[in-house]
Amino acid sequence: MDTELGTIVRNAVSDVHAALGGGLGEPLYQNALAIALRQRGRVVETEVVVPIAYKGVYVGFVRPDLVIDRELVLELKATTKIVEAHVAQTRAYLRWLPPPPPGHERLASVLRGAVVNFGRDVVEVLPVEAPPTRVD
């Protein structure tokens, strides 16, 4: 997350944690972070429904916490530390998000994610790389 968007997200995350502190539930941080990012001019989608199919048949859906500018998926946590399961969950979201529409090649290579942990005393932001492209 060494891009302009990454800097904006890190600053918004820091501001939210400074204002609210630690120890609250994820939904409160999600709402506050969405407000902070929108105030910074970002397009924020919350809990976008992403369908999952097995052998072409719908089996359910997942909902990433936040999608920023259709480029960055944020999975929010409020726990003691980020663990591999949080990273795997974020990668799964990236794997199943729909591909960019024709003519939007810019989005094809920049879709990425991060796990944000609003810990009691410290906030963590861990970038997550997208997995290899899925084959439907």
Side-chain angles (χ1 to χ4, degrees):
M1 285 195 2
D2 57 351
T3 63
E4 178 185 352
L5 179 57
T7 300
I8 290 168
V9 168
R10 286 182 190 278
N11 289 340
V13 165
S14 294
D15 288 351
V16 167
H17 195 259
L20 299 181
L24 300 173
E26 290 173 30
L28 297 172
Y29 294 116
Q30 179 178 328
N31 292 338
L33 186 56
I35 291 167
L37 289 165
R38 287 181 182 125
Q39 288 175 339
R40 287 166 167 83
R42 306 331 297 185
V43 175
V44 180
E45 298 172 87
T46 59
E47 300 202 13
V48 175
V49 174
V50 179
I52 306 295
Y54 171 73
K55 294 189 176 185
V57 179
Y58 172 82
V59 294
F61 63 90
V62 295
R63 294 185 309 202
D65 291 327
L66 298 175
V67 178
I68 315 304
D69 293 346
R70 297 204 165 211
E71 292 182 28
L72 180 65
V73 173
L74 297 181
E75 177 59 25
L76 307 183
K77 300 296 175 189
T79 186
T80 54
K81 67 178 184 174
I82 295 172
V83 298
E84 182 55 36
H86 302 146
V87 174
Q89 181 180 19
T90 306
R91 276 196 191 108
Y93 294 156
L94 292 171
R95 178 174 183 251
W96 286 99
L97 278 167
H104 289 83
E105 293 78 19
R106 181 180 72 85
L107 295 178
S109 62
V110 296
L111 188 63
R112 56 197 180 276
V115 180
V116 177
N117 181 34
F118 289 94
R120 188 183 63 152
D121 299 319
V122 178
V123 65
E124 300 173 273
V125 179
L126 179 65
V128 176
E129 294 296 320
T133 304
R134 73 175 197 264
V135 177
D136 291 329

